[in-house]
Amino acid sequence: MTHRLTGVSPDALDLSVEILGHKLPFPFFVAPMGAHRMVHEEGEVATARGAGMAGTLYCSSGASNMTLEQIAEATAGPKWFQLYFNQDVNVTKSLLRRAKNAGYSAIVLTADALGPGMPDQFRAMGAPFRSDMSFGNHDPARGGTGDFMAQKADLTPDDIKMIKDETGLPVIVKGILRAKDVDPIIAAGADAIQVSNHGGRQIDGVPGAISALPLVAKAVDGRVPVIMDSGIRRGIDVIRALSMGATCVAVGRPVMYGLGVGGAPGVKSVLETLATELRSDMLLTGARSVADLDPSYIAMTGPSAEMQEG
């Protein structure tokens, strides 16, 4: 729902956003994704470098092929570490200590995957994991311990407290789709909520993250930042998500495509192209800054229509 005659000029647009102590030049960052060496030999090192070149935040997947230390060294920008909680608490604590020592400024607790998923399309291709790849953070040849596949399934809000006690870092809980899950998670100390369905790769039939976002954001009610990932492809997607309650969004597959085509410069190009699109779309929407975006910019139907304003 565009606004007109708002006096917005291209030079006056503000795409920046602040989240957990970081000011980003635009309201999106690189979502955690595993196994980057499937598409580029330099793997996550190149992706992190590209994110740093674009000036935005990189979230390092716990399923990376490169080690979290190698990834941290590759970017001058801010970085978060996505944790897959291990059945062995000592393995989990080791990962947390390493992440803090490497300069990661927040921990993303993965709640939307309780073991490696196996989508139908990946199975149809014969599950083609390369034999020369490993999960770098657990590779004993590179200082790692434990089995990445041995993930803890019985997660509870108490696990949030454990992470905070071990690191003293902010904790983002990733994978929330139900509004009723919000209160106990925030009460346990979560510093941000990430609405996500894990890119649609874990369980069939769950709603798209964008569909769940408005009701989750309403339940959060401004107490902590709200992040959304899954399905961000164009600048207008960012506007939709921010208008529906997200503080910022995380971008996945487009970044991986950029990595495959052009390495670190390809990642930088994808992020900068998305920012250029967002700038144009903001101007045409009539919003001066991302902070101005609210439900009045979205025409909604269904359960979220009650949030429609103006």
Side-chain angles (χ1 to χ4, degrees):
M1 292 293 292
T2 57
H3 286 204
R4 292 294 177 241
L5 303 182
T6 58
V8 179
S9 68
D11 294 339
L13 290 172
D14 182 7
L15 304 187
S16 67
V17 66
E18 292 191 24
I19 183 163
L20 300 184
H22 298 296
K23 184 169 185 177
L24 306 182
F26 32 73
F28 52 85
F29 62 90
V30 177
M33 297 173 285
H36 290 204
R37 286 196 65 215
M38 293 282 283
V39 299
H40 193 279
E41 285 303 308
E42 292 184 0
E44 293 83 6
V45 165
T47 320
R49 186 183 303 121
M53 291 163 62
T56 196
L57 184 148
Y58 180 79
C59 186
S60 182
S61 171
S64 61
N65 295 133
M66 312 303 284
T67 68
L68 63 89
E69 290 86 359
Q70 291 173 311
I71 297 165
E73 291 173 1
T75 177
K79 44 196 170 282
W80 294 345
F81 178 69
Q82 179 215 19
L83 174 72
Y84 286 90
F85 216 106
N86 200 271
Q87 291 176 11
D88 185 336
V89 70
N90 291 322
V91 171
T92 299
K93 288 183 176 181
S94 173
L95 290 168
L96 292 172
R97 287 192 297 268
R98 290 170 58 191
K100 183 174 183 178
N101 291 339
Y104 291 89
S105 61
I107 304 298
V108 179
L109 173 60
T110 310
D112 49 356
L114 303 176
M118 190 64 71
D120 290 344
Q121 290 180 331
F122 192 61
R123 269 204 304 266
M125 292 188 291
F129 279 115
R130 284 171 41 175
S131 60
D132 62 335
M133 294 196 317
S134 66
F135 294 110
N137 295 326
H138 298 271
D139 187 344
R142 291 182 279 176
T145 61
D147 179 4
F148 171 74
M149 301 292 186
Q151 294 174 21
K152 179 179 178 180
D154 55 342
L155 295 170
T156 73
D158 289 341
D159 294 312
I160 299 170
K161 183 177 185 301
M162 177 272 191
I163 296 171
K164 293 177 77 77
D165 289 345
E166 189 68 26
T167 65
L169 296 175
V171 174
I172 301 104
V173 178
K174 175 183 180 293
I176 304 307
L177 295 173
R178 180 189 288 257
K180 288 185 177 180
D181 289 344
V182 166
D183 282 349
I185 289 170
I186 293 179
D191 298 278
I193 298 289
Q194 187 156 339
V195 178
S196 175
N197 63 11
H198 211 84
R201 294 176 45 256
Q202 287 294 311
I203 177 172
D204 289 339
V206 295
I210 193 75
S211 299
L213 173 61
L215 295 180
V216 173
K218 184 178 181 182
V220 171
D221 194 24
R223 289 176 288 175
V224 298
V226 175
I227 303 161
M228 194 211 82
D229 71 67
S230 305
I232 299 295
R233 300 291 181 268
R234 307 299 299 268
I236 194 65
D237 296 333
V238 181
I239 289 177
R240 291 183 180 114
L242 270 58
S243 297
M244 295 166 77
T247 307
C248 62
V249 300
V251 185
R253 286 176 175 88
V255 170
M256 194 72 90
Y257 300 152
L259 173 67
V261 171
V267 169
K268 176 175 180 283
S269 176
V270 165
L271 296 170
E272 290 182 343
T273 298
L274 187 58
T276 298
E277 277 194 5
L278 177 58
R279 183 172 294 278
S280 174
D281 291 340
M282 286 280 290
L283 184 65
L284 293 169
T285 298
R288 187 179 305 274
S289 72
V290 295
D292 291 339
L293 295 172
D294 62 28
S296 72
Y297 285 87
I298 297 290
M300 296 186 191
T301 59
S304 300
E306 63 191 70
M307 295 189 65
Q308 180 71 41
E309 297 176 2

